[in-house]
Amino acid sequence: MQRARRHRTYFWLMAVCLGLIVLAWNVVRLWSTTAAVLMSVVAAVIPPVAAIVGNSGALADSDLPRSRPSRPTRFEEDPDR
């Protein structure tokens, strides 16, 4: 359930980002360049936030083993060294 919610939130954040860029570059710039630039700046901040939201808790949901098998050190492999 949590994984689906994260993916849905990521999708909506990226959709808002694309919408802001399209509106800023095609519509708002005709009336106010400053507003278009501000919209672009906000749109530039959204993808890193979306990536953090989309990946939060990803290790808890994955099928990775909880503990790594112990690997022998190089001294255990060859004690004559």
Side-chain angles (χ1 to χ4, degrees):
M1 180 67 179
Q2 185 183 10
R3 183 181 222 172
R5 183 176 182 189
R6 284 195 327 259
H7 287 281
R8 193 170 37 250
T9 304
Y10 176 84
F11 170 77
W12 282 109
L13 283 170
M14 293 307 290
V16 167
C17 176
L18 288 174
L20 281 172
I21 290 172
V22 168
L23 283 174
W25 292 356
N26 293 316
V27 178
V28 177
R29 72 174 170 90
L30 300 173
W31 288 282
S32 173
T33 306
T34 305
V37 169
L38 288 175
M39 288 173 69
S40 297
V41 169
V42 170
V45 173
I46 292 175
V49 172
I52 291 169
V53 168
N55 290 323
S56 66
L59 286 179
D61 293 343
S62 70
D63 295 331
L64 294 174
R66 293 288 178 202
S67 63
R68 291 183 166 188
S70 62
R71 201 178 93 180
T73 63
R74 68 181 185 151
F75 297 110
E76 292 172 348
E77 292 172 359
D78 188 11
D80 293 333
R81 276 190 155 178

